[in-house]
């Protein structure tokens, strides 16, 4: 079964290579882009499969050498035979993982929205802490962050902040962060030292390109207004902030942190397209019930996914029952242990379904 699938992938890989060299396809930018993406996705499993085939083909020769009259040649062949068999087992495991159906959005950049939810000022401060955590993680991953929209609060943090993260395979790591994040700690404003529970929501959207989702501009209303800062006061007197509304669905996006109205409009439209694309994906996921079951978490934006307990320096991810006593490290952006555990669990679930 594994071998049959790998042979099919290699055949498709060779077919795409031939198609991309054909003059009539080379002039079709959309088709070339689609083929190039598929070619890139197939390259790793195909090259790994070729490595696997080469080792399997070497076994017969090594087995013959292991029967040689010369004891030195026999010993060398037996050692190489054992090493080859170990490599084959390892490569089979790697190939199984590579054949797990990939999320088509894994290689995309993302738009992240964080909002302070239940808990007043403390919720907004926590939203700011989460933004710092993701900023530090992005820095460690060599990703770039671009601020799109901010509603800062005088007490600290944000009631809402939206930003884009660009880099290699960003969505494949950050897609697990959507949901309700809960914090348990003593707020700075709490004189009696009581622990409060507050929440912030995180939404991670894969950036939608025009090739993914075609948005009819006839359905979009554009409004301009003055940018605002803490407390709602106007930051400037020129109408550079832009709000765009997809009239048929009522979906809204806005941006005020660009250098010009033109730049803000482009960013707002980028957010709007991504929100509409995400809504389409969520609808598709609802119809494909089995696919949702294989995901870590339900994918429901209202799902409580993680608790950050400051008094006990503890972070708990409720979807996979993971508890780590290193909140100080995690909130400082060292999210690897949590995200790697989430990736491993999703791979395990998908392998179990194959």
């Amino acid at each position: 079964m594994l071998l049959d699938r790998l042979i099919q992938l290699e055949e498709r890989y060779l077919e795409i290579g031939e198609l991309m060299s054909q003059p009539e396809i080379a002039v079709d930018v959309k088709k070339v882009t689609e083929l190039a993406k598929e070619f890139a996705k197939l390259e790793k499993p195909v090259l790994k499969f070729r490595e696997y085939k080469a080792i399997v083909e070497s076994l017969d020769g090594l087995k013959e050498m292991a029967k040689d009259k010369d004891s030195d040649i026999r010993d060398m062949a037996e050692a190489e035979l054992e090493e080859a068999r170990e490599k084959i087992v390892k490569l089979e495991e790697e190939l199984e993982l590579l054949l797990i159906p990939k999320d088509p959005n894994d290689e995309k950049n993302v738009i992240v929205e964080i909002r302070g939810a239940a808990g007043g000022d403390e919720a907004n401060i926590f939203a700011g802490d989460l933004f710092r955590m993701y900023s530090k993680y992005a820095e460690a991953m060599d990703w770039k962050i671009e601020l799109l929209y901010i509603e800062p609060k005088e007490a600290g943090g944000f009631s809402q902040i939206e930003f884009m993260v660009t880099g290699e395979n960003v969505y494949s790591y950050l897609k697990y962060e959507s949901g309700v994040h809960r914090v348990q700690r003593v707020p700075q404003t709490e004189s009696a030292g009581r622990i409060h529970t507050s929440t912030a929501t995180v939404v991670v959207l894969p950036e939608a390109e025009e090739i993914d989702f075609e948005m009819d501009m006839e359905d979009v209303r554009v409004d301009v207004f003055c940018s605002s800062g803490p407390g709602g006061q106007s930051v400037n007197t020129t109408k550079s902030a832009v709000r765009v509304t997809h009239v048929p669905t009522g979906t809204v996006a806005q941006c005020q942190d660009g250098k010009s109205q033109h730049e803000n409009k482009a960013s707002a439209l980028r957010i709007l397209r991504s929100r509409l694309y995400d809504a389409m994906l969520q609808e598709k996921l609802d119809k494909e019930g089995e696919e949702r079951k294989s995901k870590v978490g339900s994918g429901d934006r209202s799902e409580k996914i993680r608790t950050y307990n400051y008094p006990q320096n503890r972070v708990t991810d409720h979807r996979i029952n993971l508890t780590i006593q290193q909140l100080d490290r995690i909130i400082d952006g060292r999210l690897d242990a949590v995200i790697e555990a989430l990736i491993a669990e999703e791979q395990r679930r998908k392998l179990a379904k194959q």
Side-chain angles (χ1 to χ4, degrees):
M1 182 67 176
L2 178 68
L3 197 60
D4 290 341
R5 289 173 66 194
L6 288 164
I7 290 169
Q8 287 173 2
L9 287 186
E10 187 173 29
E11 287 173 351
R12 177 60 180 162
Y13 180 78
L14 293 170
E15 183 187 6
I16 293 170
E18 290 176 8
L19 285 169
M20 289 172 69
S21 65
Q22 293 177 7
E24 63 270 26
I25 288 178
V27 295
D28 187 337
V29 177
K30 187 176 180 181
K31 186 66 177 174
V32 169
T33 303
E34 288 173 356
L35 289 171
K37 283 185 177 181
E38 188 181 354
F39 189 82
K41 285 177 184 176
L42 292 175
E43 190 166 36
K44 194 170 181 179
V46 167
L47 293 181
K48 190 69 71 176
F49 178 45
R50 287 175 177 175
E51 183 185 347
Y52 171 82
K53 284 194 295 183
I55 295 172
V56 169
E57 286 166 7
S58 73
L59 290 181
D60 288 341
L62 290 171
K63 285 174 184 176
E64 284 300 312
M65 287 173 66
K67 297 174 186 176
D68 199 277
K69 292 177 182 178
D70 188 318
S71 60
D72 289 340
I73 292 176
R74 283 202 311 273
D75 291 345
M76 181 188 70
E78 284 168 5
E80 288 186 18
L81 202 54
E82 186 180 348
E83 187 182 339
R85 283 171 178 151
E86 287 174 359
K87 278 185 180 176
I88 286 170
V89 171
K90 187 171 181 286
L91 284 168
E92 283 175 346
E93 290 172 355
E94 289 176 10
L95 284 165
E96 274 195 342
L97 286 175
L98 287 170
L99 287 183
I100 293 173
K102 294 287 187 295
D103 185 327
N105 295 305
D106 274 352
E107 296 174 5
K108 292 185 181 295
N109 299 322
V110 303
I111 292 167
V112 183
E113 176 193 287
I114 306 174
R115 290 175 181 262
D121 287 343
E122 176 62 10
N124 297 328
I125 291 168
F126 179 48
D129 294 337
L130 291 176
F131 171 64
R132 179 179 175 275
M133 178 180 77
Y134 293 129
S135 298
K136 290 270 190 176
Y137 182 61
E139 186 181 345
M141 296 292 284
D142 201 26
W143 297 336
K144 291 183 180 176
I145 282 186
E146 175 192 347
L147 290 175
L148 300 172
Y149 184 77
I150 308 174
E151 287 183 15
K153 304 305 286 184
E154 289 180 0
F158 313 96
S159 60
Q160 180 181 347
I161 180 166
E162 293 179 32
F163 55 98
M164 173 165 278
V165 188
T166 56
E168 190 174 345
N169 299 320
V170 180
Y171 186 72
S172 68
Y173 292 94
L174 291 184
K175 63 183 175 183
Y176 304 101
E177 297 304 297
S178 286
V180 177
H181 294 242
R182 182 174 69 172
V183 64
Q184 295 172 327
R185 64 185 176 190
V186 179
Q188 294 176 2
T189 53
E190 173 56 60
S191 56
R194 290 174 300 184
I195 295 171
H196 287 224
T197 298
S198 305
T199 60
T201 60
V202 176
V203 176
V204 178
L205 308 173
E207 183 191 14
E209 301 168 48
E210 288 185 30
I211 195 170
D212 300 312
F213 184 84
E214 220 170 293
M215 186 169 65
D216 188 348
M217 286 304 295
E218 293 291 320
D219 293 334
V220 178
R221 186 179 73 244
V222 179
D223 299 303
V224 294
F225 57 99
C226 294
S227 301
S228 61
Q233 73 265 29
S234 177
V235 171
N236 57 46
T237 54
T238 59
K239 291 187 175 182
S240 60
V242 176
R243 181 185 298 110
V244 291
T245 305
H246 185 249
V247 177
T249 62
T251 307
V252 178
Q254 53 194 359
C255 186
Q256 65 178 31
D257 284 271
K259 295 175 182 175
S260 66
Q261 186 185 118
H262 176 76
E263 194 175 312
N264 283 329
K265 180 182 176 183
S267 294
L269 287 172
R270 194 163 47 171
I271 299 169
L272 183 64
R273 181 181 288 109
S274 297
R275 284 188 176 154
L276 294 171
Y277 177 58
D278 183 67
M280 184 181 74
L281 292 176
Q282 293 298 317
E283 186 180 344
K284 185 183 175 191
L285 205 57
D286 286 335
K287 289 176 183 174
E288 299 169 0
E290 286 302 309
E291 176 63 20
R292 186 180 282 278
K293 286 177 188 174
S294 73
K295 290 185 173 292
V296 170
S298 66
D300 188 339
R301 300 283 192 252
S302 62
E303 178 186 17
K304 182 185 73 179
I305 64 166
R306 197 175 297 149
T307 296
Y308 304 73
N309 185 297
Y310 275 73
Q312 296 177 24
N313 196 36
R314 184 184 73 225
V315 172
T316 300
D317 196 289
H318 305 290
R319 296 163 294 181
I320 57 174
N321 296 319
L322 174 73
T323 295
I324 301 177
Q325 303 287 153
Q326 295 181 348
L327 182 147
D328 52 340
R329 287 173 55 83
I330 289 165
I331 207 71
D332 196 42
R334 284 173 275 191
L335 275 165
D336 305 71
V338 179
I339 289 177
E340 284 170 12
L342 291 162
I343 291 171
E345 174 60 17
E346 185 150 312
Q347 286 179 340
R348 185 193 68 76
R349 293 184 190 184
K350 287 183 174 178
L351 274 173
K353 285 181 64 183
Q354 290 199 120

